[in-house]
């Protein structure tokens, strides 16, 4: 018996659809590729157009936020992990600066938190033998010098717990510098300051601007002491030269007037 007409129609329809699919599929693939290429072009153009604006935005906003955050830490060191609470120590190190530091260190000794204190401006063994103060000066130039000197002296004495006393405005930077220098020494360092001491805003701004250079110098001084000394010699040599030149220039101007 011959097959029914419906089956012939179904077969013909299926054949036509397959032929159409074979013809249309390459066109669909090409169109999808073109759409994808168009999307990539539009996205690249948008990124290229916006990138300079984002760079400008970042260049303006990021430093402002960084300065504000660092300034906030300077004004509120007690809310940061960089600020320590006075705790028992084997020695108190008084950083060079205002007299309030030495007075506060003495009050900590009176409270029984430490048996003695050291000053970074003079060698302790030099004072003990009765030599004049002018011959005992350490010649420290900055906070990094103080930290490097104290690490060497306290390591020779076998000290394990150190309490550093500085001004409140200097706590954050001093803590960062001493942490970098004393890293790996086995000595626990706490940095404290006299409470409730006011300071001018320009001082805090100066501390903020000095923070990153000081930490960088501390890392260099810890890892490459000879390189650190060369950099410091150049830095302070240039500063001395500029100071001398400016003094001479002002003297000439004054004499001409």
């Amino acid at each position: 018996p011959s097959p029914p007409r419906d089956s012939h129609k179904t077969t013909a329809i299926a054949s036509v659809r397959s032929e159409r699919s074979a013809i249309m599929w390459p066109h669909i693939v090409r169109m999808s590729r073109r759409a994808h290429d168009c999307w990539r072009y539009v996205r690249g153009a948008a990124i290229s157009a916006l990138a300079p604006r984002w760079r400008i935005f970042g260049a303006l906003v990021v430093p402002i936020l960084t300065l504000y955050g660092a300034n906030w830490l300077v004004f509120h060191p007690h809310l940061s992990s960089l600020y320590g609470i006075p705790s028992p120590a084997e020695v108190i190190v008084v950083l060079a600066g205002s007299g309030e530091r030495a007075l506060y260190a003495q009050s900590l000794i009176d409270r029984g938190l430490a048996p003695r204190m050291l000053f970074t401006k003079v060698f302790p063994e030099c004072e003990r033998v009765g030599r004049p103060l002018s011959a005992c000066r350490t010649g420290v130039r900055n906070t990094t010098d103080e930290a490097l000197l104290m690490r060497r002296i306290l390591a020779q004495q076998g000290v394990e717990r150190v309490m550093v006393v500085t001004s409140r405005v200097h706590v954050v930077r001093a803590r960062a510098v001493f942490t970098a220098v004393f890293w790996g020494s086995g000595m626990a360092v706490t940095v404290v300051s006299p409470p409730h001491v006011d300071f001018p805003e320009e001082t805090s701004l100066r501390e903020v601007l000095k923070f990153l250079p000081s930490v960088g110098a501390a890392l260099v001084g810890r890892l490459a002491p000879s390189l650190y000394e060369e950099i410091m010699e150049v830095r302070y040599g240039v500063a001395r030269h500029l100071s001398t030149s400016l003094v001479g220039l002002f003297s000439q101007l004054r004499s001409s007037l």
Side-chain angles (χ1 to χ4, degrees):
S2 59
R5 294 181 179 179
D6 292 341
S7 62
H8 286 294
K9 289 182 179 181
T10 303
T11 304
I13 293 172
S15 176
V16 171
R17 287 179 177 174
S18 63
E19 291 177 1
R20 289 180 178 175
S21 298
I23 295 172
M24 294 297 297
W25 181 251
H27 294 286
I28 295 173
V29 172
R30 283 195 296 270
M31 290 177 64
S32 63
R33 288 178 179 174
R34 289 179 181 175
H36 181 67
D37 293 341
C38 183
W39 162 247
R40 291 179 60 184
Y41 174 79
V42 172
R43 185 183 62 176
I47 292 174
S48 300
L50 293 176
R53 297 180 182 178
W54 280 109
R55 292 194 192 102
I56 295 173
F57 178 78
L60 293 175
V61 174
V62 172
I64 293 174
L65 292 178
T66 302
L67 288 174
Y68 179 81
N71 194 59
W72 187 88
L73 283 177
V74 168
F75 275 103
H76 306 84
H78 55 286
L79 301 179
S80 168
S81 59
L82 295 175
Y83 183 84
I85 299 174
S87 58
E90 298 172 51
V91 62
I92 294 177
V93 173
V94 182
L95 301 187
S98 61
E100 65 176 11
R101 304 178 182 185
L103 294 175
Y104 185 62
Q106 184 59 53
S107 69
L108 296 176
I109 291 177
D110 296 339
R111 290 164 53 185
L113 293 178
R116 61 192 178 102
M117 62 177 162
L118 299 178
F119 293 90
T120 59
K121 280 192 171 183
V122 294
F123 289 104
E125 61 275 9
C126 182
E127 281 189 305
R128 292 193 192 99
V129 297
R131 298 181 63 183
L133 183 62
S134 58
C136 297
R137 298 189 182 280
T138 60
V140 291
R141 299 158 293 192
N142 49 51
T143 306
T144 301
D145 280 0
E146 293 177 295
L148 292 170
L149 174 67
M150 287 297 108
R151 176 190 166 102
R152 185 171 66 251
I153 292 176
L154 298 177
Q156 294 173 353
Q157 298 178 0
V159 174
E160 296 181 353
R161 291 177 299 168
V162 185
M163 186 158 46
V164 178
V165 174
T166 185
S167 301
R168 181 187 172 192
V169 70
H170 189 229
V171 166
V172 175
R173 185 161 63 94
R175 175 60 177 169
V177 169
F178 271 80
T179 298
V181 171
F182 277 67
W183 178 76
S185 66
M187 286 182 275
V189 180
T190 303
V191 181
V192 299
S193 73
H196 309 302
V197 177
D198 296 328
F199 47 85
E201 293 186 6
E202 59 269 18
T203 304
S204 77
L205 179 60
R206 185 170 65 247
E207 284 294 318
V208 169
L209 296 177
K210 285 183 176 181
F211 182 82
L212 290 180
S214 295
V215 174
L219 292 173
V220 174
R222 175 69 180 86
L223 301 175
S226 59
L227 177 60
Y228 170 77
E229 285 299 326
E230 292 178 6
I231 294 174
M232 289 299 106
E233 285 295 329
V234 172
R235 178 191 181 278
Y236 286 98
V238 170
R240 284 193 296 269
H241 178 71
L242 289 176
S243 177
T244 304
S245 300
L246 289 175
V247 170
L249 178 61
F250 283 128
S251 299
Q252 293 178 0
L253 291 175
R254 185 175 298 176
S255 61
S256 63
L257 295 176

